[in-house]
Amino acid sequence: MKTEILSDKNESDIKRAAGLIKAGGIVAFATETVYGLGADASNPEAVEKIFSAKGRPQDNPLIVHLSSADDTGIYAEPNGLFRKLSDRFMPGPLTVILPRKQTVCDKVTCGLDTVGIRVPLYLPARKLIKYSGCPIAAPSANISGKPSPTKADHVINDMNGKVDCILCGDDCSVGVESTVVKITGPDSLIVCRPGGITVEMLESVCGSVETDPAVMSAFSGKPISPGMKYKHYSPTAEVIILDGTEEQIADYLDGKKDFAVICFDEDGLLKKYDDVYILGKRDDAGEQAERIFDALRTMDKKPWIKTVYARMPQTGGVGLAVYNRLIKAAAFRTVTL
Ligand code: TXA
Ligand code: MG
């Protein structure tokens, strides 16, 4: 398939991409979290194309993207807590799982009676949805199992020739996918996937905020978000998390070969190795989130790297999302030094 490469800096390109979605095509586009691969959420044939382009498991539902939270009632059953969350965090990197209506096709929800609703903050994404005149179902625009794309180049790498259009835009400023929450009561919710809207931020509007155990450890049961059970975000090399001091890590790596290190600015001792990716300052989780997928993708381009050792991040704020993406890339392999 010939993929049109367009730019969201041009209004006419956004309109062209919207026309392709309206006509049943699939279009990759930038958001503030990661690039998405979008199709008309009310058109099952179009949605099916997303699953084949990504090689996505058929039981993993897609998020529905709207240009305004005011449209939620057309596709789902919003309640009081949803309105509090949407007033505060939409547009933004938050997806709320709500009871669905039939206006979203079964292919999007994979047969569940719920649907995830998100309103992206990145303006060209909202324009794309508005010009399309339909809700846009969109997973991250990576091949299933690979790190999510946060730069236009990442998407071109994975999707050129497989989609109708790649609408290139800015690098994604949040860098990890949206926080997915499910409302469990009038003033309670559960975080199914951590992201840019942190647990602390959610606690400021909601009385009880739980976190699905699948976020922090190898799940032994059924996670609320089907996507959380898949090994994810993995470069070809094996990823291992090292929990220890800089000195302990340097000792551990001594004599090892064909490896890369993902660490922090302050880790002077670890910068001597040939392949090092600096995620940012140790206490700047925002910077780490922005770079984590690029770090994993950078490793993928270096075929001599057999193992990627990542220093354990802090888990407060957006750090929880960075940790979650790393432990999933590592398939939960952690060495405590
Ligand atoms: O930031 C994001 O959310 C990006 C951008 C493109 O908006 N999208 C994204 O989509 O990350 P995806 O498909 O890669 O991840 C969606 C996650 C999956 O873990 C999926 O299982 C979960 O949301 N999900 C979607 N609908 C759900 C539902 N009805 N119930 C529970 N989990 C759901
Ligand atoms: Mg994804």
Side-chain angles (χ1 to χ4, degrees):
M1 173 192 288
K2 170 105 183 74
T3 299
E4 288 185 43
I5 310 285
L6 304 177
S7 163
D8 71 16
K9 305 295 165 216
N10 303 327
E11 202 68 13
S12 57
D13 281 15
I14 303 180
K15 288 189 172 146
R16 165 79 192 146
L20 290 167
I21 288 197
K22 207 185 241 166
I26 53 175
V27 172
F29 62 101
T31 81
E32 74 281 12
T33 57
V34 301
Y35 273 75
L37 179 57
D40 177 352
S42 56
N43 178 341
E45 285 91 50
V47 173
E48 175 54 34
K49 292 181 196 166
I50 294 179
F51 283 85
S52 17
K54 279 182 61 92
R56 183 176 177 100
Q58 293 287 335
D59 68 345
N60 194 4
L62 308 181
I63 292 171
V64 171
H65 296 68
L66 305 178
S67 60
S68 161
D70 297 342
D71 296 341
T72 304
I74 309 174
Y75 308 103
E77 315 266 4
N79 62 2
L81 181 54
F82 174 81
R83 273 180 281 274
K84 275 210 240 169
L85 291 165
S86 61
D87 282 352
R88 186 74 178 274
F89 303 120
M90 289 186 176
L94 179 69
T95 297
V96 183
I97 311 287
L98 292 170
R100 67 176 283 207
K101 287 189 174 162
Q102 294 305 319
T103 39
V104 175
C105 68
D106 288 339
K107 199 79 221 161
V108 169
T109 59
C110 298
L112 297 178
D113 53 8
T114 53
V115 62
I117 300 287
R118 163 157 143 73
V119 182
L121 180 62
Y122 184 67
L123 186 59
R126 270 184 285 142
K127 284 186 175 172
L128 177 71
I129 302 164
K130 214 173 172 55
Y131 297 155
S132 304
C134 58
I136 294 187
S140 48
N142 51 290
I143 302 285
S144 247
K146 289 289 161 198
S148 295
T150 53
K151 295 170 183 283
D153 273 356
H154 296 164
V155 184
I156 291 171
N157 242 304
D158 279 19
M159 291 297 165
N160 200 6
K162 295 188 173 154
V163 300
D164 295 287
C165 167
I166 298 174
L167 183 62
C168 301
D170 291 347
D171 291 354
C172 303
S173 58
V174 176
V176 288
E177 304 89 338
S178 61
T179 303
V180 177
V181 302
K182 183 169 184 177
I183 292 177
T184 49
D187 195 31
S188 61
L189 58 78
I190 183 159
V191 175
C192 316
R193 179 178 72 181
I197 301 298
T198 64
V199 169
E200 295 82 349
M201 289 159 86
L202 293 165
E203 279 168 348
S204 72
V205 294
C206 177
S208 161
V209 177
E210 268 184 275
T211 300
D212 190 338
V215 165
M216 295 294 282
S217 53
F219 92 103
S220 56
K222 201 171 167 212
I224 297 168
S225 279
M228 295 296 283
K229 70 174 177 260
Y230 296 108
K231 183 176 172 206
H232 244 114
Y233 315 124
S234 298
T236 313
E238 183 175 56
V239 179
I240 296 178
I241 298 181
L242 298 180
D243 187 6
T245 64
E246 199 189 328
E247 290 76 15
Q248 287 170 326
I249 293 175
D251 282 350
Y252 179 84
L253 295 177
D254 214 31
K256 291 200 164 33
K257 287 195 313 214
D258 305 328
F259 68 86
V261 177
I262 296 178
C263 62
F264 306 109
D265 254 354
E266 293 84 350
D267 297 336
L269 268 182
L270 306 180
K271 289 182 181 165
K272 65 181 176 197
Y273 300 112
D274 293 338
D275 293 295
V276 179
Y277 193 107
I278 307 287
L279 273 190
K281 295 201 177 51
R282 181 151 180 79
D283 59 5
D284 189 343
E287 195 173 23
Q288 294 161 27
E290 203 180 319
R291 293 187 189 158
I292 184 66
F293 286 132
D294 187 55
L296 295 171
R297 280 182 176 261
T298 301
M299 303 315 169
D300 247 354
K301 290 207 193 104
K302 303 181 177 188
W304 62 90
I305 295 175
K306 301 284 185 291
T307 314
V308 176
Y309 294 102
R311 186 157 188 206
M312 176 82 126
Q314 290 166 353
T315 55
V318 190
L320 183 63
V322 176
Y323 173 69
N324 169 260
R325 301 323 185 259
L326 261 179
I327 51 165
K328 295 196 78 186
F332 300 98
R333 281 178 297 258
T334 301
V335 176
T336 305
L337 300 170

